[in-house]
């Protein structure tokens, strides 16, 4: 399979339309159609369901697999090209890819990045947010230079620097909620209340605090990023269990934060693969991270 043909396929999958994909690729529609047909013949399976004219193209199961793997392949090639080009420049420049969990403690990482870019302004950092499984998958495949995660680290596979602060768990709720009158929220306070949390926390963190009671809790919604979860809490869908500092809370908003009691905290780590070959940009960033973290 040629990279050019893979990019053609990804464009058709993205657009859902052969004509629009051909236009974006600057090729004729017959040329593109033949390339896709040849690819399907090579793989021995259809990649799209052939719908009536004017209907969006829909991926087959094989097409979905190729789209997922092909996207990773295209990203890896692009990252490799950028890393090689950075070696050819006399001036230090290039891109660093970092997958990260959502946390206010990313401010420590931001301080390191600011210090780096003051000296090397042509270094760019690409951040990718997601849950730990998604981020580690990209790190293991080489799509990321670093990952920031909020769970225990497999030290046999990864090198690790721990952030100098922990994330504190609590409940985000409407200010007019009866629970908002309390300084801290205890387990019994949440019984029978509608709760919102992240899917990862439901697996990793909340069982430590709820114990066997977790099975009795009324989880009405889950989310993997904080903004939309905050909107749900603001709209009275439920009480949001989340790290402190991820949802905007001030005098103008209708939300407030109350910590859990007993306190529940989570460690945060910057990790990278053991034996990983770093670019010059990644080495410099890691050096700045160590300085910032050690000087806090």
């Amino acid at each position: 399979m040629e990279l050019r043909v893979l990019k053609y396929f990804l464009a058709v999958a993205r657009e859902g339309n052969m004509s629009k994909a051909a236009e974006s690729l600057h090729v004729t529609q017959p040329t593109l159609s033949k390339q896709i047909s040849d690819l399907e013949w090579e793989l021995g399976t259809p990649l799209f369901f052939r719908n009536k004219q004017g209907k969006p193209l829909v991926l087959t199961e094989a097409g979905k697999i190729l789209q997922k793997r092909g996207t990773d392949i295209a990203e890896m090639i692009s990252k490799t090209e950028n890393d090689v080009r950075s070696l050819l420049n006399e001036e230090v420049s290039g891109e660093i890819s970092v997958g990260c969990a959502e946390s206010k403690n990313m401010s420590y990482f931001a301080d390191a990045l600011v210090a780096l870019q003051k000296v090397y302004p042509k270094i760019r950092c690409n951040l990718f947010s997601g849950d730990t499984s998604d981020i580690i998958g990209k790190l293991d495949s080489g799509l990321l230079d670093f990952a920031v995660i909020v769970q225990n680290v497999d030290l046999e596979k990864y090198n690790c620097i721990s952030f100098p602060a922990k994330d504190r768990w609590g409940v985000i709720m409407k200010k007019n909620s009866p629970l908002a009158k309390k300084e801290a929220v205890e387990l019994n306070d949440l019984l029978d209340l509608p709760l919102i949390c992240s899917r990862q926390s439901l697996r990793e963190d909340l069982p430590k605090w709820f114990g066997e009671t977790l099975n009795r809790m009324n989880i009405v919604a889950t989310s993997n990023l904080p903004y939309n979860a905050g909107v749900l809490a603001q709209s009275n869908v439920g009480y949001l269990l989340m790290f402190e500092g991820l949802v905007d809370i001030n005098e103008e908003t209708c939300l407030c934060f109350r910590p859990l009691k007993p306190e529940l905290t989570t460690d945060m780590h910057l990790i990278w693969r053991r034996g990983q070959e770093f670019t010059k940009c990644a080495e410099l960033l890691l050096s700045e991270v160590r300085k910032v973290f050690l000087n806090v």
Side-chain angles (χ1 to χ4, degrees):
M1 184 191 306
E2 296 181 21
L3 176 62
R4 173 179 55 83
V5 178
L6 177 61
K7 288 182 176 179
Y8 284 179
F9 162 77
L10 292 174
V12 177
R14 181 178 63 250
E15 298 289 348
N17 180 283
M18 200 71 72
S19 297
K20 290 181 179 179
E23 184 178 347
S24 70
L25 293 166
H26 304 292
V27 299
T28 65
Q29 183 175 335
T31 297
L32 181 58
S33 296
K34 185 177 187 308
Q35 293 289 345
I36 297 301
S37 294
D38 289 347
L39 178 59
E40 291 178 320
W41 179 85
E42 178 184 347
L43 296 175
T45 183
L47 298 172
F48 297 95
F49 292 107
R50 264 51 179 185
N51 297 325
K52 294 181 180 179
Q53 189 171 2
K55 296 288 185 179
L57 290 171
V58 177
L59 289 166
T60 63
E61 287 303 311
K64 292 176 182 178
I65 292 173
L66 182 59
Q67 183 185 37
K68 184 178 187 304
R69 302 281 174 82
T71 299
D72 287 346
I73 291 169
E75 288 179 359
M76 172 59 77
I77 291 173
S78 177
K79 185 179 187 310
T80 302
E81 289 173 344
N82 289 330
D83 289 348
V84 171
R85 289 194 194 101
S86 71
L87 297 175
L88 303 177
N89 295 331
E90 292 184 6
E91 185 178 14
V92 177
S93 64
E95 298 183 5
I96 306 165
S97 298
V98 182
C100 52
E102 298 286 312
S103 167
K104 67 177 183 179
N105 289 326
M106 278 297 291
S107 61
Y108 295 105
F109 179 87
D111 290 343
L113 185 59
V114 167
L116 176 68
Q117 291 179 330
K118 280 184 179 178
V119 182
Y120 304 104
K122 292 193 175 181
I123 291 178
R124 182 170 71 184
C125 182
N126 301 316
L127 293 182
F128 302 88
S129 294
D131 65 21
T132 298
S133 60
D134 291 337
I135 290 171
I136 286 184
K138 288 183 178 293
L139 180 67
D140 289 343
S141 64
L143 293 173
L144 300 175
D145 297 299
F146 302 99
V148 177
I149 64 172
V150 287
Q151 70 177 50
N152 293 333
V153 178
D154 182 353
L155 295 177
E156 291 187 0
K157 291 183 62 178
Y158 307 105
N159 291 305
C160 167
I161 299 177
S162 295
F163 277 64
K166 299 175 184 286
D167 280 294
R168 183 170 68 154
W169 284 88
V171 181
I172 295 169
M173 68 194 87
K174 299 288 285 289
K175 289 177 180 176
N176 60 6
S177 165
L179 204 54
K181 297 176 182 178
K182 302 194 65 171
E183 293 184 0
V185 176
E186 300 179 55
L187 190 151
N188 289 337
D189 297 326
L190 298 177
L191 293 176
D192 301 320
L193 292 181
L195 303 178
I196 307 165
C197 63
S198 72
R199 289 181 283 279
Q200 181 174 329
S201 70
L202 203 53
R203 299 189 306 267
E204 304 287 342
D205 296 281
L206 298 182
K208 302 172 188 174
W209 194 75
F210 283 104
E212 295 180 357
T213 310
L214 183 61
N215 295 326
R216 296 167 48 199
M217 306 312 293
N218 182 22
I219 308 295
V220 297
T222 64
S223 176
N224 65 333
L225 292 175
Y227 181 83
N228 287 337
V231 171
L232 295 184
Q234 191 166 335
S235 301
N236 285 322
V237 172
Y239 292 77
L240 176 56
L241 289 158
M242 186 171 281
F243 290 162
E244 184 177 12
L246 290 187
V247 173
D248 186 25
I249 292 174
N250 54 55
E251 292 182 357
E252 297 180 359
T253 68
C254 64
L255 298 175
C256 64
F257 175 89
R258 296 293 182 267
L260 296 181
K261 182 182 178 180
E263 186 177 67
L264 176 65
T265 60
T266 298
D267 293 317
M268 191 169 180
H269 313 281
L270 179 75
I271 66 171
W272 62 97
R273 289 175 290 120
R274 288 194 174 275
Q276 183 171 333
E277 292 287 338
F278 276 140
T279 63
K280 181 65 175 177
C281 297
E283 286 181 354
L284 290 168
L285 176 59
L286 184 57
S287 176
E288 291 298 336
V289 166
R290 286 194 169 107
K291 290 177 187 176
V292 169
F293 285 22
L294 291 176
N295 290 331
V296 172

